[in-house]
Amino acid sequence: MPQSRFILALDFPVKREILEELSPKVHGLKVGLGLTLDLGVQGVKDLLKGLGVEEIVVDFKLADIAPIMQGVVSRLSFADSFIAHSVIGSKGALLDLKRFLDANGKKLYLLGAMSHEGWDDSLNSYTTKVILDVDP
Amino acid sequence: MPQSRFILALDFPVKREILEELSPKVHGLKVGLGLTLDLGVQGVKDLLKGLGVEEIVVDFKLADIAPIMQGVVSRLSFADSFIAHSVIGSKGALLDLKRFLDANGKKLYLLGAMSHEGWDDSLNSYTTKVILDVDP
């Protein structure tokens, strides 16, 4: 079977049995803020423990200064990677976060555009520039 | 004594005694994601209970589509107001969040610019437009 390209988004609590059934079929799991608020960090860790997925992505859409984002990712040791907003820029934000995650063997995904109606696509040339600069 | 214009930012756990001492001197408390990850939602609620401040602001710098942001604010009933990024735009995001918060008697603050070096001030005319549109 070819490696799965699916990532299962978890935005609220799901029964462990369901995760055990679906995990072998997906590449990874994406953990949302709602789930984390519902279960707490330890609860999320327990829910995902030993599922054997390739990647656990935390999707809080981080968009703060570097010290705050670094504080957040430090608290989520179960994650392999994190999603942040490119629009906040490099210096004092994403460059520092990237360096911090690199040093801790974690990955960064940068959001360049969103799909809802209100997103302004004229921002995309700027976000592309930031993404190339940060090189996640 | 004139009403205080200070808001105390809580990005990590602080002793309750310290909060009891400082609370009468501030207008409000600003709850960060780090604190919330450390204590959990119930832990934050317990820490802040009965402090008698005018306003508890949740500063997660929300920057997601409306259903996700509404899910997050719904889980934080102790808060009076929330901070979100204006750059994500109105339709399908901030307009819906504003309507949802209005219906629940909560307030919205919109971030128009950030202070770190990497923030690009050329975004500010766009964020100003969104803020005027959402009218938080």
Side-chain angles (χ1 to χ4, degrees):
Chain A
M1 195 176 86
Q3 227 188 324
S4 171
R5 299 176 66 185
F6 287 98
I7 287 185
L8 180 64
L10 302 173
D11 288 317
F12 44 81
V14 174
K15 278 189 185 151
R16 171 80 189 186
E17 303 88 89
I18 295 176
L19 288 183
E20 284 171 1
E21 197 189 323
L22 292 177
S23 289
K25 300 181 173 69
V26 301
H27 165 74
L29 301 171
K30 189 164 76 78
V31 174
L33 190 47
L35 178 77
T36 310
L37 294 176
D38 281 339
L39 300 185
V41 174
Q42 189 58 48
V44 175
K45 218 168 159 173
D46 292 343
L47 180 68
L48 305 185
K49 205 174 172 178
L51 288 174
V53 294
E54 300 269 332
E55 187 172 359
I56 295 173
V57 189
V58 163
D59 182 15
F60 288 0
K61 295 189 176 60
L62 295 168
D64 213 322
I65 54 171
I68 298 291
M69 295 195 291
Q70 286 165 200
V72 168
V73 303
S74 298
R75 285 163 166 101
L76 302 166
S77 58
F78 62 81
D80 302 298
S81 49
F82 297 86
I83 297 177
H85 265 287
S86 54
V87 74
I88 59 169
S90 304
K91 282 189 187 163
L94 296 170
L95 271 181
D96 311 57
L97 178 64
K98 172 70 163 65
R99 214 170 292 138
F100 185 81
L101 290 174
D102 279 349
N104 289 280
K106 312 266 179 175
K107 285 192 299 182
L108 176 65
Y109 293 100
L110 290 181
L111 194 58
M114 295 177 76
S115 59
H116 63 283
E117 196 183 341
W119 177 262
D120 188 334
D121 279 326
S122 74
L123 298 169
N124 299 356
S125 59
Y126 173 63
T127 56
T128 303
K129 221 174 63 182
V130 174
I131 292 170
L132 291 171
D133 186 35
V134 177
D135 189 22
Chain B
M1 196 175 84
Q3 226 187 325
S4 171
R5 299 176 66 184
F6 287 99
I7 287 186
L8 179 65
L10 302 173
D11 288 317
F12 45 80
V14 174
K15 277 187 187 153
R16 171 81 189 186
E17 304 90 88
I18 295 177
L19 288 182
E20 284 171 1
E21 197 189 322
L22 291 177
S23 288
K25 300 182 172 72
V26 300
H27 164 74
L29 301 171
K30 188 164 76 76
V31 174
L33 189 48
L35 177 76
T36 310
L37 294 176
D38 281 339
L39 300 185
V41 174
Q42 189 57 48
V44 175
K45 217 166 160 175
D46 292 343
L47 181 68
L48 305 185
K49 205 174 171 177
L51 288 174
V53 292
E54 301 268 332
E55 186 172 359
I56 295 173
V57 188
V58 162
D59 181 15
F60 288 0
K61 296 189 177 58
L62 295 168
D64 213 321
I65 55 172
I68 298 290
M69 294 194 292
Q70 287 166 10
V72 168
V73 303
S74 298
R75 286 163 166 100
L76 302 166
S77 58
F78 61 81
D80 302 297
S81 49
F82 297 87
I83 298 177
H85 265 286
S86 55
V87 75
I88 59 168
S90 304
K91 283 190 188 163
L94 296 170
L95 271 181
D96 311 58
L97 178 64
K98 172 70 163 63
R99 216 170 290 139
F100 185 82
L101 291 174
D102 279 349
N104 289 281
K106 312 267 180 173
K107 287 191 297 182
L108 176 65
Y109 293 101
L110 290 181
L111 194 57
M114 296 177 75
S115 58
H116 62 283
E117 196 183 342
W119 178 262
D120 188 334
D121 279 326
S122 73
L123 297 169
N124 298 356
S125 59
Y126 173 62
T127 56
T128 304
K129 221 175 61 182
V130 175
I131 292 169
L132 291 170
D133 186 35
V134 178
D135 190 22

